[in-house]
Amino acid sequence: DWYHDASRPDGPAQPEEIGAVGSRVRRNVEVLLSILARHETRATFFFLADVACEQKELLRETIAAGHEIACHGLDHRPVGQRSPAEFREDARVARAMIEEVAGVAVLGFRAPYFLQTDDLWALDVLAETGFQYDSSYMPLHYFPTDVPLLAGDGGPVRLPNGLWEFPLPISRLPTGHMLPA
């Protein structure tokens, strides 16, 4: 939801701000579910654990509509601001909370603010905690340079630790810049 964005100039939203504006996640997910149903398309929804617990019915409606539920962690904090032990605990607890509400196994993870090259240690942590796949790596730079890819073509790759990585799609502009597709 909007208030999870810790990169705001004012920092994380305060309870009084959240109370004044309210949550938008239900309305936005319902719109997405409607669009996906109209086009007979399935998607993966990466839920924060607190949203899954606060919006139990929405999570269950998403599953009932045929969509996959995956984990986005406990809170919306960059992986690079955590130690491996903190991240391991976050992923483990968040997954357990979402699985309890959902009643289904949670196989995938997407990191808040994605993963950059310096954060790739997190992929080993996710494999250790039993996730089967991740879709967090965004190998991009906002200036022309080569970008380290996990696979030769930048597509999905099974890592030596057994975890599948589905990197975010990127495009190379004629200027050499790599940006999200």
Side-chain angles (χ1 to χ4, degrees), residues 27-112:
R27 180 188 71 216
N28 292 340
V29 171
E30 286 173 347
V31 168
L32 285 172
L33 291 173
S34 175
I35 292 168
L36 293 167
R38 192 167 50 248
H39 293 282
E40 298 179 357
T41 302
R42 301 289 173 253
T44 300
F45 284 73
F46 294 89
F47 271 79
L48 286 168
D50 70 337
V51 173
C53 291
E54 291 170 9
Q55 299 283 342
K56 292 176 184 171
E57 287 307 311
L58 181 63
L59 179 96
R60 294 177 184 139
E61 290 167 22
T62 303
I63 294 167
H67 303 288
E68 179 187 15
I69 300 300
C71 183
H72 198 46
L74 283 173
D75 58 21
H76 211 264
R77 197 163 47 111
V79 171
Q81 293 180 0
R82 307 169 195 219
S83 71
E86 289 172 325
F87 179 64
R88 181 179 295 105
E89 184 67 4
D90 180 285
R92 187 189 66 73
V93 171
R95 179 182 188 181
M97 290 170 66
I98 295 168
E99 286 180 338
E100 183 174 326
V101 173
V104 298
V106 172
L107 307 176
F109 188 88
R110 174 166 287 157

Side-chain angles (χ1 to χ4, degrees), residues 95 106-107 125-133 163:
R95 179 182 188 181
V106 172
L107 307 176
V125 171
L126 292 172
E128 291 167 14
T129 57
F131 285 95
Q132 292 184 16
Y133 74 88
L163 186 77

Side-chain angles (χ1 to χ4, degrees), residues 110-125:
R110 174 166 287 157
Y113 302 100
F114 304 105
L115 296 177
Q116 301 300 316
T117 307
D118 292 344
D119 304 323
L120 292 178
W121 56 264
L123 299 176
D124 288 328
V125 171

